Amino acid sequence: MQFSSQLLESAVNAFAQLPGIGKKTALRLVLHLLKQENSQVEQFSETIASMRKNIRFCSMCFNISDTEICSICSNPSRKKEMICVVETIRDVIAIESTQQFNGVYHVLGGVISPLDGVGPDQLKIESLHNRVKTIPAEELIFALSPTIQGDTTIYYIQKKLQQDKLKITTIARGISFGGELEYADEMTLARSLQNRQPLEHYVSR
Amino acid sequence: MLHLEHISLTQFRNYDKVSFGFPGRITAFCGPNGVGKTNILDAIYYLCFTRSYSGRTDSSSVRIDSAGFRIDGRWNRDGQHHSTVCILRESGKKEFQVDNESITRFSGHIGHYPAVMITPDDIELISGSSEERRRFIDTLLSQLYREYLEHLIRYGKLLTERNSLLKRMSEGVMNDSGLLDVLDEQLINHGNAIFLFRKNFSAEFISGTSQYYQNISGGNEKISISYRSVLTEHSFEQVLKTNRSKDLALQRTSSGVHRDDLEIFLGEFPFKMVASQGQRKSLLFALKLAEFETLKAMKGFSPLLLLDDIFEKLDEQRMMNLLHWVCEKNEGQVFLTDTHQERIRSIMNKFKIEYQLIILE
């Protein structure tokens, strides 16, 4: 792409660095910004800059927060004894939108995968360890993806925390809600049969 | 009973447009080198497995100066008519239709129209590394037991993770033997399952293979096959523990079910070292026929048998022994190729079996 202005070009390149945005889309966005008032664009860039500068990670659970302790951890009505361990912040948002969980979270920041160069040290495992020691946690719920890496992470953490008297659970794995049985893959279906539920549990929800 | 009644090829390999009908159970293709005998067998293989046996890419199977190909097969299964069509579009997109309906998951088709193909290149199974034999066993077992495939995939993934961790540990980063413990535990779980499957399966499979070998060779050669795994003598847990420092130095997992092998002896010497070309070929047939037998037991009917260039390197007696089984004892449909039509004619006449000879020029 040929540009008549150096400024334009670097702005386009900056936008094109964002995920899912190519050169043409970047150009469209930049040209849109060019049409706007100076003050408006200034406010736009200000918002982004201040977001990056001021945002913090909760020192307890490593969720995104505006304060030292995030709104979930500081909420007095939330059960601090129940900790849900997730991979990323996106998982927190997903679980929060179910409105079914009234405990607190712990964001690991990834799962163990030596292949991708992610070891236990790169994750917030040590701080989880300290956390369950200082606050008398009762239950640790693992909400990680059912992959080899997810399982490895669960086993690893479980081993680390073995000595503590702690109930460790994982979210259920099986047929998705509203899914049709005939389209479920054999492995999921087999697993669902193995871990079938007594009916009273099913109905009470 | 599975029977391929008709096949037509369009722009496939060296054929522009050609079709054949197969009224009988046994069909022989004859013709000089390079006339396209194997290509027909491979086309039949395409109809059964949605891909080439030789491992050639789809696009390289298109006739020169053409775009796209089509293989059209009509089947008779237990009196019911079926059709399978494989189309490679000009765009390079492959379509597979079963009974005029496009299927989306190709892997779901495999196994419905079972076939066993034997080509001269398969001799790698005998003379190649242990990897070839493991792949052979794995392919067969995965078709029999879905669970096995699941264990195999998980084992493979865990193994790469473990090796990667070993590498990083020896580099001094990620020094965490606790993580290695966790990976080991999972690896042991899947490794033990794989070992059990292989052990139980190989007991029967090996005796079947030996039997076939005796039949083909005439019974004067003493051959012994055994499944060799480090887990036969030691528990996997123990193996990983004793090898840990060695694994750390080597930066890979030196021992486990991923190193299993079928060990073959002729008399008291390793088969690979002493066996002649004809003996190797005989053993190849024995292994493949045992595979055939296993598939037949599972499906309840005989798979197709695709024999490419079978007479090459076999002596007269072995040839007769083999054909006796293939044409008389076996009830399934057979396709074979040879360069000499006289040879085929004289052999078939000895057996007094009805067969169809298709001469390619």
Side-chain angles (χ1 to χ4, degrees), chain B residues 336-350:
Chain B
L336 44 92
T337 73
D338 192 26
T339 41
H340 296 71
Q341 44 171 302
E342 284 317 314
R343 178 154 68 181
I344 292 237
R345 276 210 180 95
S346 72
I347 293 170
M348 289 299 182
N349 289 340
K350 273 187 202 157

Side-chain angles (χ1 to χ4, degrees), chain A:
Chain A
M1 230 180 268
Q2 293 289 320
F3 296 103
S4 53
S5 139
Q6 191 65 46
L7 290 166
L8 182 72
E9 185 174 348
S10 46
V12 168
N13 286 337
F15 269 102
Q17 281 172 16
L18 297 174
I21 302 218
K23 275 264 166 89
K24 280 194 174 168
T25 314
L27 180 64
R28 195 159 60 95
L29 296 174
V30 170
L31 292 178
H32 174 79
L33 288 177
L34 262 183
K35 270 195 237 154
Q36 291 191 322
E37 295 287 327
N38 226 334
S39 62
Q40 239 177 324
V41 179
E42 227 155 72
Q43 201 199 337
F44 178 78
S45 53
E46 192 97 324
T47 317
I48 294 169
S50 104
M51 181 272 289
R52 187 63 195 93
K53 202 162 69 196
N54 296 324
I55 222 161
R56 289 201 280 187
F57 292 94
C58 170
S59 61
M60 295 268 280
C61 70
F62 304 99
N63 190 9
I64 285 175
S65 168
D66 294 343
T67 48
E68 173 73 18
I69 306 285
C70 75
S71 56
I72 296 175
C73 288
S74 56
N75 186 339
S77 66
R78 289 235 173 199
K79 290 187 199 143
K80 304 285 187 303
E81 315 80 50
M82 205 198 265
I83 303 175
C84 182
V85 181
V86 295
E87 191 180 329
T88 64
I89 289 149
R90 281 172 31 191
D91 300 328
V92 175
I93 296 168
I95 296 177
E96 273 303 284
S97 49
T98 67
Q99 300 188 338
Q100 288 293 313
F101 182 64
N102 195 27
V104 290
Y105 293 93
H106 190 88
V107 182
L108 289 176
V111 284
I112 297 175
S113 171
L115 213 53
D116 301 310
V118 183
D121 297 346
Q122 275 101 311
L123 305 177
K124 308 287 183 199
I125 292 178
E126 199 53 45
S127 49
L128 177 66
H129 198 177
N130 293 334
R131 194 173 165 195
V132 290
K133 258 197 228 155
T134 46
I135 308 166
E138 281 167 11
E139 185 176 354
L140 216 54
I141 305 168
F142 282 100
L144 302 180
S145 305
T147 57
I148 298 267
Q149 289 85 0
D151 285 350
T152 304
T153 311
I154 294 176
Y155 295 140
Y156 180 84
I157 297 176
Q158 181 209 17
K159 246 193 165 155
K160 279 251 150 165
L161 306 184
Q162 238 165 21
Q163 58 275 39
D164 307 300
K165 285 201 167 44
L166 195 63
K167 187 173 160 196
I168 299 184
T169 55
T170 80
I171 51 168
R173 294 161 183 193
I175 302 293
S176 64
F177 218 75
E180 290 195 41
L181 218 55
E182 62 172 313
Y183 294 119
D185 69 292
E186 286 94 340
M187 195 193 156
T188 306
L189 201 52
R191 195 62 79 84
S192 307
L193 272 170
Q194 270 169 22
N195 304 335
R196 60 192 179 277
Q197 292 282 312
L199 206 57
E200 59 254 51
H201 288 207
Y202 184 72
V203 178
S204 68
R205 287 278 151 176

Side-chain angles (χ1 to χ4, degrees), chain B residues 292-348:
Chain B
F292 179 90
E293 207 51 48
T294 311
L295 284 175
K296 183 180 164 184
M298 174 180 62
K299 300 284 172 201
F301 58 86
S302 295
L304 299 193
L305 203 49
L306 309 171
L307 306 170
D308 188 22
D309 226 348
I310 56 165
F311 302 126
E312 180 213 41
K313 287 177 189 154
L314 288 184
D315 63 37
E316 175 91 17
Q317 191 52 47
R318 282 173 197 243
M319 219 150 76
M320 298 304 281
N321 291 341
L322 177 66
L323 278 179
H324 169 67
W325 187 87
V326 164
C327 299
E328 287 192 332
K329 286 209 162 163
N330 162 42
E331 299 145 2
Q333 194 176 10
V334 181
F335 294 89
L336 44 92
T337 73
D338 192 26
T339 41
H340 296 71
Q341 44 171 302
E342 284 317 314
R343 178 154 68 181
I344 292 237
R345 276 210 180 95
S346 72
I347 293 170
M348 289 299 182

Side-chain angles (χ1 to χ4, degrees), chain B residues 116-129:
Chain B
V116 171
M117 183 153 172
I118 311 178
T119 75
D121 289 344
D122 291 334
I123 206 73
E124 274 297 294
L125 189 59
I126 310 293
S127 26
S129 67

Side-chain angles (χ1 to χ4, degrees), chain B residues 121-142 148 152 194 198 201-202 205-206 209 223-228 257-265 270-273 275 280 283-284 287-288 291:
Chain B
D121 289 344
D122 291 334
I123 206 73
E124 274 297 294
L125 189 59
I126 310 293
S127 26
S129 67
S130 61
E131 195 185 341
E132 304 283 339
R133 287 176 289 282
R134 271 197 306 279
R135 192 187 306 145
F136 174 72
I137 298 276
D138 286 345
T139 316
L140 192 50
L141 270 173
S142 313
Y148 180 79
L152 205 62
I194 291 170
R198 285 184 185 165
F201 168 76
S202 55
F205 186 76
I206 283 172
T209 308
I223 186 173
S224 62
I225 310 172
S226 56
Y227 168 52
R228 192 179 57 83
V257 291
H258 56 288
R259 303 292 296 269
D260 285 0
D261 197 0
L262 282 179
E263 233 168 23
I264 310 163
F265 279 87
F271 192 85
K272 263 205 261 185
M273 311 263 286
R280 282 165 204 237
L283 182 60
L284 170 65
L287 278 171
K288 287 283 195 166
E291 176 190 5

